Amino acid sequence: MKRPLIVQKFGGTSVGSVERIHNVAEHVIRAKNSGKQVVVVVSAMSGETNRLVELAKQVDKVPNVRELDVLLSAGEQISMALLSMTLCKLGYSAVSLTGGQARITTNNHHNNATISDIDTSVIDDHLAQDKIVIVAGFQGINEIGDITTLGRGGSDTTAVTLAGALNAEECQIFTDVDGVYSCDPRVVGAAKKLDTIDFPTMHAMAYKGAKVLHMPCVTYAWEHQVPLRVLSSFEAGNGTLVAGNDPQPGIGGLAIQKQMMALTIDTAHVDLVDKQKQMLGVEESLWVTDSAYNHLVVKLDCCDKLKMVIDDKIVVEQEVALLTLVGRQAIEQASQYQQLLNLSDISVLHFCEDKHSITLVLEPGTIDKAANVLHDNYIITSESVERAEKQVHLG
Amino acid sequence: MKRPLIVQKFGGTSVGSVERIHNVAEHVIRAKNSGKQVVVVVSAMSGETNRLVELAKQVDKVPNVRELDVLLSAGEQISMALLSMTLCKLGYSAVSLTGGQARITTNNHHNNATISDIDTSVIDDHLAQDKIVIVAGFQGINEIGDITTLGRGGSDTTAVTLAGALNAEECQIFTDVDGVYSCDPRVVGAAKKLDTIDFPTMHAMAYKGAKVLHMPCVTYAWEHQVPLRVLSSFEAGNGTLVAGNDPQPGIGGLAIQKQMMALTIDTAHVDLVDKQKQMLGVEESLWVTDSAYNHLVVKLDCCDKLKMVIDDKIVVEQEVALLTLVGRQAIEQASQYQQLLNLSDISVLHFCEDKHSITLVLEPGTIDKAANVLHDNYIITSESVERAEKQVHLG
């Protein structure tokens, strides 16, 4: 049984100025006035983290990791205090807590720590006094009381972990888009905002390039059954609810990854390359196997450091783009994709299957058209139906 | 028996940029290399506190006091992390601690708290590991773990209280002047830098307008017998050592207070005015009594709010300036001051005696000349002797 409590998370852009913090306060007050308890997680004001990193780099290109965490954690301390002040000014009782004060304990991995425990007693005490509780995102303390930070997407992680620990009925991630889309709307104009999306589809979408939610956040929410809602800070609307464990029938969404590099490597060297890849911390890579060769697809921006150590093992290299179809029927329809894309003169270099998804390796110049063709045919929106009808008449 | 440990305090100007922090690190390293343990107290980078106050005022003219402390305390967190990084970069083992991490406990008076206790165990642990310990000045936590700040001169207070708690052999206050002067050198060109000054003289000087050290810092150092040293961050030199309990013979120094207002009040209303003064928190005021009236001298900038409540009790008001002579012989020579100043057409409006000091109430336009005349006659410097000789020859 969930508790009548909402966790709301606001990113750096949402708290980027005193005016925007006022706007955030209105979202918070709306939730509070609906009768729920409210816990708010905030990032540093946009630009602030960069300012602090810049100061640190002036001191040392590779600053001491413990002290970098002390420095960066000041960023959220500023935004949380300003939000709490704003709520107080508007007549609400609010209190802000650093990661340490909120008793968020992490491991000792400075700059990229993982939350190990949240003792909610301090937060619970404040909630019992009818206060709105603001918690600094992205930060915690380790076992000896040193400040730690969580790394990329850390504030989302703080929010969802708090929601889990507090048994919240919903964790709302406020961002600069109004929800999760069936595909990147900058590429596919007909992409539709989804009212709901299940965890396995969202997880695969995030894993395969959808930027709206960070992977660890989705993983935690799924594992702990915390309903997530993605909303816009700047526009009204119900956003997208991420909940449910069964993928919907058909194709739930398309994810796009541009600026990728396919490195073709002799099968004999795959284990060695895998080891180097791990040592260098190359993430979000993909192995595609065909009869003679293995193709390793990695992000362009981490390709150079990998090439420095495995250059002599690379047979061919080629820039590519990835299009992933996610959903229960994604794999079984694979042969149709090739046929459809052939009609538009697009060839698929490789296919790569996962549990509920299939990834098409494409030439970079063809990705946008391929995404539109497959979206039009497999994701049914009112616009795509209309367009299909028009095409029939024109034909 | 004092411990071979130095506490060094650097103000906002001293840590105002990454370059200046590097300069601070060199001072710290010099102390460390001399074989001492070193604890460093830092203020926020100059400008940073103002930036944060400005943000708070954009939210609310009178921001929530608890949250203002959360906000402001981020300032020292930034400077302490940058200093610690700099020391690490230079090959020294250093660690920075917030007020809370350093276990500095205060009362609950947000924005103007008083340190109630320092548990030095965390600092001692780090010192035992041969680390340089950097502590955020100006801040602590109250009994329930909320962040508090100490108000004006707070970082000096942190430094001297830490020096007391750690039984340090010296507390060094680095500032933008090279020591304590016999008088404000901007007014009296012949003012000399003092190598040493005793606590009672320093205390009276600070109380009567010398800006170099804050009163609570001097009071604490005297009470706990912590030797203080005032030094320049930017120039080499031994500064001024503040130590010893007996005032030196003669006059130790002159203190100047400009922009003061003398309010003449009927004797019948003195108690009432005193009460209002306390309620409004009017500090650094002075009562001067003559046969018929009481003259209350207050700072010009707090005069307006006082006048709002006691306007009908004021008989006369007049802008004045105060010149205080501090030292064992300060009072007994009082009649000579009047004679000397008369020779320069300066009249003394009132005299006001304290334990080891006498304050002359003067017309604002005469204070600079009066200070020079009395300094030349009562504070012996090589320059003043030379000048006196010249005057004899000319005469």
Side-chain angles (χ1 to χ4, degrees):
Chain A
M1 186 60 186
K2 296 284 184 186
R3 189 168 158 185
L5 187 157
I6 306 283
V7 174
Q8 298 187 315
K9 179 260 168 178
F10 296 92
T13 316
S14 304
V15 294
S17 67
V18 166
E19 291 73 29
R20 288 189 169 183
I21 287 173
H22 196 278
N23 176 49
V24 164
E26 287 175 351
H27 284 293
V28 174
I29 287 170
R30 215 168 293 134
K32 178 70 183 160
N33 286 351
S34 77
K36 311 287 186 190
Q37 293 185 319
V38 186
V39 174
V40 186
V41 174
V42 288
S43 303
M45 296 169 83
S46 56
E48 183 66 9
T49 303
N50 285 350
R51 183 181 82 94
L52 297 173
V53 168
E54 196 42 54
L55 283 171
K57 287 203 171 157
Q58 281 178 39
V59 171
D60 194 347
K61 273 181 195 161
V62 187
N64 178 282
V65 290
R66 179 195 184 278
E67 300 303 330
L68 185 59
D69 280 349
V70 174
L71 182 75
L72 294 183
S73 64
E76 293 85 39
Q77 200 167 317
I78 292 169
S79 53
M80 76 184 199
L82 291 173
L83 176 57
S84 191
M85 272 177 203
T86 306
L87 289 164
C88 292
K89 158 94 175 165
L90 296 172
Y92 288 78
S93 185
V95 67
S96 72
L97 301 173
T98 62
Q101 288 177 321
R103 302 204 180 163
I104 298 174
T105 312
T106 72
N107 65 9
N108 196 30
H109 196 151
H110 281 294
N111 309 165
N112 196 21
T114 306
I115 295 176
S116 50
D117 183 56
I118 301 184
D119 167 0
T120 62
S121 58
V122 173
I123 295 174
D124 282 328
D125 283 351
H126 287 299
L127 289 173
Q129 294 168 51
D130 204 32
K131 289 181 194 163
I132 297 164
V133 181
I134 328 280
V135 180
F138 179 71
Q139 60 177 249
I141 49 168
N142 64 15
E143 279 188 358
I144 57 166
D146 285 345
I147 297 168
T148 52
T149 66
L150 306 181
R152 222 161 62 95
S155 292
D156 288 10
T157 307
T158 302
V160 72
T161 314
L162 266 175
L166 290 162
N167 198 24
E169 64 178 39
E170 200 168 285
C171 177
Q172 301 180 339
I173 309 287
F174 285 81
T175 174
D176 50 1
V177 295
D178 64 347
V180 180
Y181 277 71
S182 55
C183 190
D184 185 340
R186 289 167 303 180
V187 174
V188 176
K192 60 175 180 177
K193 200 209 76 182
L194 307 171
D195 291 332
T196 61
I197 185 170
D198 56 84
F199 280 124
T201 304
M202 186 69 244
H203 193 263
M205 294 274 283
Y207 184 54
K208 295 298 184 180
K211 296 275 180 294
V212 63
L213 285 172
H214 291 277
M215 270 296 289
C217 173
V218 179
T219 307
Y220 183 96
W222 188 3
E223 277 175 7
H224 295 80
Q225 295 292 304
V226 178
L228 281 179
R229 190 180 291 275
V230 179
L231 297 139
S232 166
S233 295
F234 307 111
E235 290 170 41
N238 291 323
T240 301
L241 179 67
V242 187
N245 303 312
D246 296 319
Q248 293 161 292
I251 308 291
L254 276 74
I256 292 168
Q257 286 167 288
K258 294 186 176 182
Q259 295 196 297
M260 305 296 286
M261 195 63 115
L263 307 174
T264 302
I265 287 155
D266 195 298
T267 304
H269 301 305
V270 166
D271 285 352
L272 187 144
V273 171
D274 250 342
K275 203 181 249 175
Q276 294 289 357
K277 199 179 62 132
Q278 263 179 23
M279 279 175 60
L280 291 168
V282 173
E283 287 167 17
E284 303 179 51
S285 59
L286 181 75
W287 279 111
V288 186
T289 312
D290 59 26
S291 51
Y293 287 103
N294 287 271
H295 310 283
L296 172 61
V297 185
V298 296
K299 284 185 167 180
L300 204 58
D301 58 10
C302 60
C303 188
D304 283 345
K305 64 177 175 180
L306 187 63
K307 274 166 65 182
M308 286 197 348
V309 289
I310 62 157
D311 203 21
D312 57 329
K313 313 286 181 295
I314 300 170
V315 183
V316 183
E317 59 177 271
Q318 178 186 10
E319 194 183 329
V320 295
L322 305 184
L323 179 62
T324 302
L325 293 96
V326 182
R328 225 194 282 172
Q329 266 82 46
I331 296 172
E332 61 196 55
Q333 298 164 338
S335 62
Q336 300 172 23
Y337 308 149
Q338 178 77 70
Q339 290 172 15
L340 256 169
L341 293 175
N342 279 348
L343 294 176
S344 302
D345 289 327
I346 298 168
S347 54
V348 180
L349 304 177
H350 305 283
F351 284 93
C352 182
E353 295 180 8
D354 208 335
K355 195 172 176 196
H356 290 298
S357 72
I358 186 160
T359 298
L360 283 55
V361 182
L362 300 165
E363 282 172 14
T366 66
I367 179 83
D368 287 8
K369 190 163 191 189
N372 275 285
V373 167
L374 295 182
H375 190 277
D376 277 0
N377 277 276
Y378 291 99
I379 310 248
I380 306 303
T381 70
S382 51
E383 294 90 344
S384 66
V385 169
E386 210 174 291
R387 198 163 45 241
E389 282 169 355
K390 270 192 196 156
Q391 281 173 338
V392 169
H393 289 297
L394 289 172
Chain B
M1 187 59 186
K2 297 284 183 187
R3 189 167 157 185
L5 187 157
I6 306 282
V7 174
Q8 298 187 316
K9 179 259 168 179
F10 297 90
T13 315
S14 304
V15 295
S17 67
V18 166
E19 290 73 30
R20 288 189 169 183
I21 288 173
H22 196 279
N23 177 48
V24 164
E26 286 174 353
H27 284 291
V28 174
I29 287 170
R30 214 166 295 134
K32 178 71 181 159
N33 286 352
S34 77
K36 311 287 185 189
Q37 293 185 319
V38 185
V39 173
V40 187
V41 174
V42 288
S43 303
M45 296 169 83
S46 56
E48 182 67 8
T49 304
N50 285 349
R51 183 180 83 94
L52 296 173
V53 168
E54 196 43 54
L55 283 170
K57 286 202 170 159
Q58 281 178 38
V59 170
D60 194 345
K61 272 181 197 162
V62 187
N64 179 284
V65 291
R66 180 194 184 278
E67 299 304 329
L68 185 59
D69 281 348
V70 174
L71 183 75
L72 294 183
S73 64
E76 292 85 39
Q77 200 166 319
I78 292 169
S79 53
M80 77 185 199
L82 291 172
L83 176 57
S84 190
M85 273 177 202
T86 306
L87 288 164
C88 292
K89 159 93 174 166
L90 295 172
Y92 288 77
S93 185
V95 66
S96 72
L97 301 173
T98 63
Q101 288 177 322
R103 303 205 181 163
I104 298 174
T105 312
T106 73
N107 64 8
N108 196 30
H109 196 151
H110 280 293
N111 308 165
N112 196 21
T114 306
I115 295 175
S116 50
D117 184 57
I118 301 183
D119 166 0
T120 62
S121 58
V122 173
I123 295 174
D124 282 328
D125 283 352
H126 287 298
L127 289 173
Q129 294 168 52
D130 204 32
K131 290 182 194 162
I132 296 164
V133 181
I134 327 280
V135 180
F138 180 70
Q139 60 177 250
I141 49 168
N142 64 16
E143 279 188 358
I144 58 167
D146 285 345
I147 297 168
T148 52
T149 66
L150 306 182
R152 222 161 62 95
S155 292
D156 287 10
T157 307
T158 302
V160 72
T161 314
L162 265 175
L166 290 163
N167 198 24
E169 65 178 38
E170 199 168 286
C171 178
Q172 301 179 340
I173 309 286
F174 284 81
T175 176
D176 49 2
V177 295
D178 64 348
V180 180
Y181 276 71
S182 54
C183 189
D184 184 340
R186 290 167 303 182
V187 173
V188 175
K192 60 174 181 177
K193 202 208 75 182
L194 307 171
D195 291 331
T196 61
I197 185 170
D198 56 85
F199 281 124
T201 304
M202 186 68 244
H203 192 263
M205 294 274 283
Y207 184 55
K208 295 297 184 180
K211 296 276 180 294
V212 64
L213 285 172
H214 291 277
M215 270 294 290
C217 172
V218 179
T219 307
Y220 184 96
W222 189 4
E223 278 175 6
H224 295 80
Q225 295 292 306
V226 177
L228 282 178
R229 190 181 292 275
V230 179
L231 298 138
S232 166
S233 294
F234 308 110
E235 290 169 43
N238 291 323
T240 301
L241 179 67
V242 187
N245 303 311
D246 297 317
Q248 293 160 290
I251 309 290
L254 275 74
I256 292 168
Q257 286 168 290
K258 294 186 178 182
Q259 294 196 300
M260 305 295 286
M261 193 64 112
L263 307 174
T264 302
I265 287 155
D266 195 300
T267 304
H269 301 305
V270 165
D271 286 352
L272 188 145
V273 172
D274 250 342
K275 203 181 249 173
Q276 294 289 357
K277 200 180 61 134
Q278 262 179 25
M279 279 174 60
L280 291 168
V282 173
E283 288 168 13
E284 303 179 51
S285 60
L286 181 74
W287 279 110
V288 187
T289 311
D290 59 27
S291 52
Y293 289 102
N294 287 271
H295 310 283
L296 173 61
V297 184
V298 296
K299 283 185 170 179
L300 204 59
D301 58 9
C302 61
C303 188
D304 283 344
K305 64 177 176 181
L306 187 62
K307 274 166 63 181
M308 283 193 355
V309 289
I310 61 156
D311 204 21
D312 56 330
K313 313 286 182 296
I314 300 170
V315 183
V316 183
E317 58 177 271
Q318 179 187 9
E319 195 184 330
V320 296
L322 305 184
L323 178 63
T324 301
L325 292 97
V326 181
R328 224 194 281 174
Q329 266 81 44
I331 297 172
E332 63 197 55
Q333 297 164 336
S335 62
Q336 300 172 22
Y337 308 150
Q338 178 77 70
Q339 292 171 14
L340 256 168
L341 293 175
N342 280 347
L343 293 176
S344 303
D345 288 327
I346 297 168
S347 54
V348 181
L349 304 177
H350 304 284
F351 284 93
C352 184
E353 295 180 6
D354 208 336
K355 196 172 176 196
H356 290 298
S357 72
I358 186 161
T359 300
L360 282 55
V361 183
L362 301 165
E363 283 173 15
T366 65
I367 181 82
D368 288 7
K369 189 161 192 192
N372 275 284
V373 167
L374 296 183
H375 190 277
D376 277 0
N377 278 276
Y378 292 100
I379 311 253
I380 307 305
T381 69
S382 51
E383 293 91 343
S384 67
V385 169
E386 208 174 292
R387 197 161 46 239
E389 283 169 355
K390 269 190 198 158
Q391 282 173 338
V392 169
H393 290 297
L394 290 171

